[in-house]
Amino acid sequence: MELKKKLATIFQQFQTEHTFKGFETFNSGHINDTFLILTQEEVNYVLQRINTTVFKKAIDVIHNKIKITQHLSKKGIQTIHFIPTKENSYSLIDNDNHLWNLSEFIENSQTFLKVNANDIAYQAGLITAEFLAQTSDFENDLVETLPNFHSMSFRFQEFQNALNATSKIRKQKAQKWIDFALANKKEMMVLDRAINQKEIRLRVTHNDTKISNILFDTNNKAICMIDLDTVMKGCIHFDYGDALRTICNTTDEDEVNVSAINFNLNYFKNYTEGFLKSLANNISKQEASYLPISIQVMTFIMGLRFLTDYLNNDVYYKTKHSNHNLERANNQFSLVQKIREQQHEINSFVKSTYMSSCH
């Protein structure tokens, strides 16, 4: 009841003409707390509390979201619509110093936690690439709200710091994957090197393209990208690789049965076809050449982050038990190995699809 009262109080401070009735909790996010606000008039909203421990520049997170959604709206592209407060700000700070923002709920929409059909993978590729294409001309500067978010060198530095400070027990439990991470360090720096050498360019990217961050209509057609908290400058490989990391994993992210983990090639092919169709001539041949390896890199970096948080006693991600982050790391690193087994076919398919889609 206390949470309901608090959410009602916060909701009433935004510019809506609707009366709070109740709420439902969205549970798919690792970081922020998100609620579906139900009103007496049956017009629903999405109320989000930004995790200010993770997002040190939480106000800038909201400003970035507003800039990008307004840019898309001006082009007539369907996107999230944010609601200002009664004081004409898009963010609200409560008495506990938590930061909130409110957006309209898009009716007759749905999200998926897992892909269960080829057409959903294809639609996901279409909409992710459309977001990249339609924001490629965005000229205003976005604030880097999570510095070095997908920087492999930065993540290895964090990992090394955690390794140096971790307990003997945690280190022993994680030794297999500590060794795996160190053995693959050089190869996994490939995107960092390509960015530094200006072989691939930086542009607006979503930076968290898991399937649950895409809104679909009731006919399974993709509507738009959601959860724009991580929107900032990056390379398309971050979005492409991270999407396939989640879409093509045959298990949940914390599945402990390694034999069940595999990389779904059919979903990869459908996603890639949609992605390259939407991106069309907004991607160079050189950029395309790095797409295949980005799937390994983005899966590896996620495994490294889970492993680092485990070594750090679980200070970043929400966990359900003491080995949760280690199990997630085990899952992601095992998926890297499965991707490698099919890397030749992945390379060939991306190359042929790029040639047919973009020229």
Side-chain angles (χ1 to χ4, degrees):
M1 185 57 72
E2 188 177 334
L3 178 58
K4 183 177 180 180
K5 187 177 179 182
K6 176 164 187 161
L7 294 178
T9 301
I10 290 164
F11 176 73
Q12 287 159 7
Q13 295 178 65
F14 286 88
Q15 291 182 30
T16 77
E17 299 174 355
H18 301 113
T19 309
F20 181 94
K21 183 172 75 173
F23 73 96
E24 295 174 9
T25 303
F26 291 114
N27 290 316
S28 62
H30 282 309
I31 307 300
N32 297 319
D33 295 312
T34 309
F35 305 94
L36 177 67
I37 301 300
L38 311 171
T39 69
Q40 302 281 5
E41 297 82 3
E42 298 187 355
V43 176
N44 300 328
Y45 294 85
V46 178
L47 182 64
Q48 185 181 53
R49 178 169 57 200
I50 305 291
N51 186 325
T52 51
T53 303
V54 171
F55 291 101
K56 306 297 184 189
K57 302 176 180 178
I59 291 282
D60 291 322
V61 168
I62 293 173
H63 288 169
N64 282 356
K65 293 196 287 189
I66 299 303
K67 288 176 185 175
I68 288 299
T69 52
Q70 288 179 347
H71 175 81
L72 293 171
S73 292
K74 285 175 186 174
K75 290 183 162 192
I77 306 297
Q78 186 164 8
T79 186
I80 304 167
H81 179 64
F82 288 93
I83 311 293
T85 67
K86 290 176 178 174
E87 296 182 356
N88 286 317
S89 170
Y90 283 97
S91 57
L92 175 76
I93 300 174
D94 67 17
N95 294 334
D96 299 316
N97 216 31
H98 292 139
L99 197 69
W100 299 81
N101 62 257
L102 184 74
S103 61
E104 292 178 357
F105 176 75
I106 298 176
E107 297 295 339
N108 300 313
S109 63
Q110 61 178 330
T111 57
F112 297 99
L113 293 179
K114 292 289 291 181
V115 170
N116 55 20
N118 287 332
D119 66 319
I120 293 174
Y122 178 77
Q123 286 289 321
L126 277 177
I127 204 72
T128 307
E130 182 187 45
F131 176 86
L132 293 169
Q134 295 293 346
T135 56
S136 64
D137 60 343
F138 180 81
E139 294 179 358
N140 293 335
D141 288 336
L142 293 177
V143 177
E144 190 180 19
T145 51
L146 291 170
N148 302 305
F149 189 49
H150 289 316
S151 164
M152 190 66 79
S153 56
F154 173 73
R155 294 302 179 185
F156 262 108
Q157 183 183 337
E158 284 194 321
F159 164 70
Q160 195 63 59
N161 292 342
L163 186 58
N164 293 340
T166 196
S167 69
K168 187 176 180 181
I169 292 174
R170 290 216 167 198
K171 185 176 180 181
Q172 284 176 340
K173 282 188 175 182
Q175 195 61 55
K176 174 185 175 182
W177 295 119
I178 291 169
D179 294 343
F180 179 82
L182 293 171
N184 287 278
K185 180 177 180 179
K186 186 177 180 182
E187 184 181 357
M188 291 295 105
M189 298 289 246
V190 59
L191 291 184
D192 279 32
R193 286 194 296 270
I195 290 169
N196 290 338
Q197 293 165 9
K198 299 194 177 350
E199 292 181 30
I200 50 182
R201 64 190 175 103
L202 296 180
R203 57 169 97 187
V204 174
T205 44
H206 183 284
N207 293 302
D208 188 15
T209 49
K210 58 179 180 276
I211 191 66
S212 59
N213 284 340
I214 297 172
L215 207 59
F216 291 80
D217 66 19
T218 51
N219 295 316
N220 294 346
K221 185 177 183 295
I223 299 172
C224 65
M225 303 296 295
I226 58 173
D227 199 356
L228 305 175
D229 299 333
T230 52
V231 166
M232 51 191 166
K233 288 290 177 72
C235 64
I236 57 172
H237 308 78
F238 296 161
D239 284 358
Y240 176 79
D242 199 36
L244 289 170
R245 172 187 76 82
T246 58
I247 287 169
C248 299
N249 190 344
T250 55
T251 69
D252 292 331
E253 215 170 51
D254 46 10
E255 173 61 58
V256 294
N257 180 11
V258 174
S259 64
I261 299 169
N262 213 331
F263 183 78
N264 189 312
L265 265 180
N266 285 331
Y267 292 168
F268 152 74
K269 289 177 179 178
N270 279 272
Y271 182 92
T272 299
E273 284 178 356
F275 186 87
L276 288 174
K277 180 180 179 182
S278 262
L279 210 52
N281 294 316
N282 213 312
I283 175 174
S284 69
K285 186 176 180 180
Q286 193 165 35
E287 282 179 309
S289 71
Y290 282 100
L291 289 177
I293 193 61
S294 73
I295 309 169
Q296 268 195 56
V297 170
M298 297 309 295
T299 307
F300 182 92
I301 205 170
M302 202 67 235
L304 189 65
R305 290 175 64 192
F306 283 139
L307 179 59
T308 298
D309 200 31
Y310 174 76
L311 296 174
N312 278 333
N313 292 314
D314 313 313
V315 294
Y316 188 86
Y317 293 110
K318 296 174 185 176
T319 56
K320 295 178 181 176
H321 53 84
S322 62
N323 288 328
H324 200 174
N325 272 322
L326 184 58
E327 290 169 1
R328 289 164 168 162
N330 175 35
N331 183 293
Q332 294 297 290
F333 287 144
S334 297
L335 184 59
V336 170
Q337 294 171 323
K338 292 295 184 179
I339 294 166
R340 278 186 181 156
E341 291 172 10
Q342 303 181 79
Q343 193 67 55
H344 179 72
E345 189 168 353
I346 290 169
N347 295 351
S348 299
F349 188 83
V350 170
K351 186 176 182 180
S352 63
T353 305
Y354 171 76
M355 295 304 289
S356 60
S357 298
C358 302
H359 295 283

